[in-house]
Amino acid sequence: MEVPGNLGCYKDHGNPPPLTGTSKTSNKLTIQTCISFCRSQRFKFAGMESGYACFCGNNPDYWKHGEAAGTECNSVCFGDHTQPCGGDGRIILFDTLVGACGGNYSAMAAVVYSPDFPDTYATGRVCYWTIRVPGASHIHFNFTLFDIRDSADMVELLDGYTHRVLVRFNGRNRPPLSFNVSLDFVILYFFSDHINQAQGFAVLYQATKEEPPQERPPVNQTLTEVITEQANLSVSAAHSSKVLYVITTSPSHPPQTVPGSHSWAPSIGASGHRVEGWTVYGLATLLILTVTAVVAKILLHVTFKSHRVPASGDLRDCRQSGASGEIWTIFYEPSTTISIFKKKLKGQSQQDDRNPLVSD
């Protein structure tokens, strides 16, 4: 017979025994009386031999003398002939958490047993078990055994944070085969009155944690940094030619797609291509305008050097002429006013040379 909390059957050569804590003998020994005795002495393990001997201890190497077949530990307990209590030179071991009235659980999965299990639960029991698995999205419960016959005896599950009763089961309201609770902290409560004892319950819980969402890979530059870098390049180029150009929009794109506007939010994917397209367009436009300005300035400078600007005294002697053969030259210099002078044709008389800015 498989009993909950059974760790197996092991050999005992007696020097030393598998469990070296404390021991006792009783002609009324049961599995639960031995477990309760060892638990009261704060030991993790309880072992029974020959039907009447109880051993306790915390020895992690209880298996050091070797494991034996389960059939070699089938000597009946003197206090309950339906339970196995070891054998001659064979000890059957149990975890003392089985049958405890209360406890704290934090493992992803475990089994909680009613008090005094596998014996019938005692009367007047009030027990609490906390099941807390941080980060769990829900906890799955499965009552593998439920033997409560009195409607006054009950098992409840409570919200660990608010202590609100989630479900209640008793002799008239049996639990479903399994169910989920969407919490990571649950309290299991048991109550028994003073009549109608029964076997109790065994409930398996299993917590589930959802995998955290995968973080997006970090981007080397944010959109703001890209736009700022482009603006700095534009300002530097404009300063080199003493001309500052401000690009506001593109003829092929609507105004709401301009980088930096509130309706244009950064994102992974297509937005990255839009930023790259604006970068190429802006830099190409800036380059064309800058080269055009520089070439125009050079041409104007060459023209200005090749012609002497008339003095103000000479301008007074000039006469206005409406002849269609006159040539007018416009000189442009950044940050200065525009001056217009007439170029005298070969063979034109001195009397026709008048200041075009002075009327008759």
Side-chain angles (χ1 to χ4, degrees), residues 107-124:
M108 291 294 293
V111 180
V112 182
Y113 299 95
S114 56
D116 309 310
F117 195 89
D119 295 346
T120 57
Y121 57 82
T123 59

Side-chain angles (χ1 to χ4, degrees), residues 3 5-10 46 62 67-70 73 90-94:
V3 182
N6 183 7
L7 301 177
C9 180
Y10 297 90
Y62 53 77
E67 188 173 3
C73 286
R90 301 292 184 266
I91 184 171
I92 185 170
L93 294 179
F94 287 86

Side-chain angles (χ1 to χ4, degrees), residues 101-337:
C101 183
N104 301 308
Y105 292 82
S106 60
M108 291 294 293
V111 180
V112 182
Y113 299 95
S114 56
D116 309 310
F117 195 89
D119 295 346
T120 57
Y121 57 82
T123 59
R125 287 288 200 178
V126 179
C127 307
Y128 293 90
W129 295 265
T130 63
I131 302 172
R132 188 168 193 172
V133 185
S137 60
H138 65 272
I139 302 176
H140 180 79
F141 289 91
N142 179 18
F143 279 87
T144 57
L145 170 68
F146 190 84
D147 182 19
I148 295 178
R149 303 169 189 175
D150 192 338
S151 60
D153 299 346
M154 69 182 70
V155 176
E156 291 180 344
L157 290 178
L158 292 79
D159 185 325
Y161 297 102
T162 65
H163 296 174
R164 178 175 59 91
V165 176
L166 302 175
V167 291
R168 177 183 291 119
F169 307 116
N170 53 34
R172 295 182 180 178
N173 181 31
R174 300 178 62 82
L177 182 60
S178 63
F179 57 92
N180 291 327
V181 175
S182 298
L183 291 169
D184 65 352
F185 184 18
V186 177
I187 298 175
L188 178 64
Y189 166 75
F190 174 77
F191 169 81
S192 65
D193 62 6
H194 295 284
I195 57 174
N196 296 332
Q197 297 169 285
Q199 184 67 48
F201 65 87
V203 57
L204 166 67
Y205 81 83
Q206 186 168 8
T208 300
K209 290 185 178 181
E210 292 183 354
E211 295 183 359
Q214 296 181 354
E215 297 182 358
R216 293 178 177 177
V219 182
N220 293 333
Q221 283 185 307
T222 63
L223 176 62
T224 304
E225 293 173 345
V226 171
I227 296 175
T228 303
E229 182 178 345
Q230 296 172 12
N232 291 337
L233 290 174
S234 300
V235 171
S236 300
H239 278 227
S240 64
S241 60
K242 298 184 180 179
V243 180
L244 176 63
Y245 300 95
V246 179
I247 302 173
T248 57
T249 185
S250 167
S252 62
H253 292 79
Q256 61 268 23
T257 59
V258 177
S261 63
H262 295 289
S263 62
W264 195 76
S267 61
I268 303 301
S271 298
H273 298 288
R274 297 173 74 179
V275 173
E276 182 179 357
W278 271 105
T279 302
V280 174
Y281 172 78
L283 293 179
T285 305
L286 178 63
L287 179 60
I288 294 171
L289 293 176
T290 303
V291 171
T292 303
V294 172
V295 171
K297 183 175 179 180
I298 293 173
L299 292 176
L300 291 174
H301 183 70
V302 171
T303 304
F304 177 77
K305 290 295 185 179
S306 62
H307 297 278
R308 183 181 63 87
V309 179
S312 60
D314 298 335
L315 292 176
R316 294 190 184 95
D317 299 332
C318 295
R319 292 182 300 169
Q320 183 178 5
S321 177
S324 59
E326 293 179 346
I327 297 177
W328 296 86
T329 304
I330 301 175
F331 297 96
Y332 168 74
E333 184 177 0
S335 302
T336 63
T337 59

Side-chain angles (χ1 to χ4, degrees), residues 7 16-22 43-46 55-64 93:
L7 301 177
L19 299 179
T20 58
T22 187
F43 290 106
K44 296 180 180 179
F45 307 114
F55 296 88
C56 308
N58 294 325
N59 305 69
D61 57 345
Y62 53 77
W63 44 264
K64 59 186 177 183
L93 294 179

